[in-house]
Amino acid sequence: MDKIKKYQTIITKLLQEMQSNEETNDAEQEAIITDTKRHHYFLQWIGFDAEDRFINKPLLHFHIKPNGKIWLLANLTETDVAEELMLKGVDKKDIVLGFLVPFIRAHSGFAVA
């Protein structure tokens, strides 16, 4: 299996594990959204906040670049998903914390780009 397909499988499994299994009403839900052609993967929260405003935001957003690196573009969870990726077999040098500005990313211990 090539690296992109391997990482696609790992990310999809991670999103499935992190998706809430709690019964929710129609007003709030978590959805896994995948674009396997352009390699974007989301765990999306859809619902209403405490002030009854509609919210549609990514809890997690991954993008696998053509070079096989996984860019973590959003993490609004309490989970260290970079650590979870490594536990599932992703090489640390293939993880980019894309939500950090480049000069800070250089000191993250992960890939810069």
Side-chain angles (χ1 to χ4, degrees), residues 77-95:
T77 73
E78 295 179 4
T79 302
D80 182 347
V81 292
E83 180 69 26
E84 292 295 319
L85 288 172
M86 290 186 301
L87 290 172
K88 294 184 179 311
V90 175
D91 193 327
K92 189 173 188 172
K93 69 177 177 47
D94 285 338
I95 299 172

Side-chain angles (χ1 to χ4, degrees), residues 41-58:
Y41 307 87
F42 295 86
L43 178 60
Q44 194 83 7
W45 190 86
I46 305 164
F48 291 89
D49 67 10
E51 286 82 37
D52 291 329
R53 292 178 297 209
F54 184 72
I55 304 293
N56 184 352
K57 66 181 177 184

Side-chain angles (χ1 to χ4, degrees), residues 15-59:
L15 292 174
Q16 290 168 343
E17 291 170 359
M18 294 191 67
Q19 184 177 29
S20 175
N21 291 324
E22 297 177 17
E23 288 291 321
T24 59
N25 58 41
D26 290 338
E28 57 184 62
Q29 61 184 336
E30 290 179 0
I32 295 173
I33 302 167
T34 59
D35 175 353
T36 56
K37 183 176 181 181
R38 293 175 189 86
H39 301 291
H40 284 272
Y41 307 87
F42 295 86
L43 178 60
Q44 194 83 7
W45 190 86
I46 305 164
F48 291 89
D49 67 10
E51 286 82 37
D52 291 329
R53 292 178 297 209
F54 184 72
I55 304 293
N56 184 352
K57 66 181 177 184
L59 297 174

Side-chain angles (χ1 to χ4, degrees), residues 97 100-108 112:
L97 303 181
L100 296 176
V101 294
F103 71 89
I104 293 175
R105 196 181 309 146
H107 303 286
S108 69
V112 175

